[in-house]
Amino acid sequence: KQEVTQIPAALSVPEGENLVLNCSFTDSAIYNLQWFRQDPGKGLTSLLLIQSSQREQTSGRLNASLDKSSGRSTLYIAASQPGDSATYLCAVSSDNDMRFGAGTRLTVKP
Amino acid sequence: NAGVTQTPKFQVLKTGQSMTLQCAQDMNHEYMSWYRQDPGMGLRLIHYSVGAGITDQGEVPNGYNVSRSTTEDFPLRLLSAAPSQTSVYFCASSTGAVTEAFFGQGTRLTVV
C-alpha cells in the first residue's frame, strides 16, 4: 500500500526566504506526482504535476523535483511572500488511485 | 468558468439520517472522485468513476454510495450518517485517473 509522508508538518519562515518542502512515498511505481496548495476552508489548487518520466517542473517561483527511485519529491519556493502562506500537499498517482500526504502548513511572516 | 461545483458547503446531520452530497463539473472530464479530509491526515479516496455508468471503491468506501448517470454529475450518498463521518468532503475531476486533478471547494459535514 502506497504511503505518502510530508515533513515538516509545519514551517514558519520570514518573508524573502527560499524554502524546500519535502514529500516521500513508499512505492516507486507511480504515474505522476502532484503538488497542491490549500488555503484555509478552501479546496485544493494544483500547482505542479510531474510525470513519472520527468525530473522536475517549474512554474514561476515554484520548482518541483521528482526522484522516483528514492521515492522523494521536493517543492522549492523562491523568495517567499506572505501570500504563499497555505498548506501544501503532495499526491502520487498509480492506477486509479491518488494517495495524499498530510501536508505542510507554511506561514510566511512579513 | 465554474469547474467543479459542490453543494452544500456546510451540513449538520443527526446520527442515522441520510443525505446526498452533490458534485458537478463542466469540463467534460471522464474521471471523477470523492475524498474525505480529516485533521492531520491526507485526503483519502472514497469512491471514483472512470465514466458514466462506471464506479468503483476507493480506500474508505464503507457507509457511502455513488452513482454516475451522466458525465457531469457524481453524487455521494451517506446511507445512515455516523459521527465517524464528520469530515470535509472533496470532489475532484480530471480527464483521466493520472492527469491533473481539479477540486471543488469542499463540503464540511458534521454528524451529531
Side-chain angles (χ1 to χ4, degrees), chain B residues 29-107:
Chain B
H29 285 166
E30 290 294 326
Y31 186 87
M32 296 185 74
S33 52
W34 276 102
Y35 295 85
R36 60 178 288 172
Q37 185 178 34
D38 300 297
M41 302 181 70
L43 280 72
R44 291 181 293 168
L45 182 64
I46 304 171
H47 284 285
Y48 65 93
S49 169
V50 299
I54 306 169
T55 64
D56 207 345
Q57 297 180 351
E59 185 183 0
V60 288
N62 292 340
Y64 307 96
N65 203 359
V66 293
S67 60
R68 183 98 178 269
S69 57
T70 66
T71 298
E72 295 78 20
D73 300 298
F74 190 43
L76 178 72
R77 297 182 189 84
L78 278 69
L79 309 173
S80 177
S84 61
Q85 294 179 303
T86 294
S87 188
V88 182
Y89 291 85
F90 288 100
C91 177
S93 76
S94 56
T95 55
V98 294
T99 56
E100 183 181 7
F102 296 84
F103 281 77
Q105 293 296 295
T107 295

Side-chain angles (χ1 to χ4, degrees), chain A residues 1 31-32 34 36 38 41-44 46 49 51 89 93-102, chain B residues 31 35 37 40-45 48 50 59 90 97-106 108:
Chain A
K1 174 189 164 184
Y31 289 120
N32 63 44
Q34 293 187 65
F36 294 90
Q38 185 177 28
K42 302 291 186 182
L44 280 68
S46 180
L49 183 150
Q51 300 293 349
L89 299 110
S93 294
S94 53
D95 294 327
N96 285 316
D97 196 6
M98 187 188 303
R99 297 283 171 138
F100 283 81
Chain B
Y31 186 87
Y35 295 85
Q37 185 178 34
M41 302 181 70
L43 280 72
R44 291 181 293 168
L45 182 64
Y48 65 93
V50 299
E59 185 183 0
F90 288 100
V98 294
T99 56
E100 183 181 7
F102 296 84
F103 281 77
Q105 293 296 295
R108 185 173 295 275

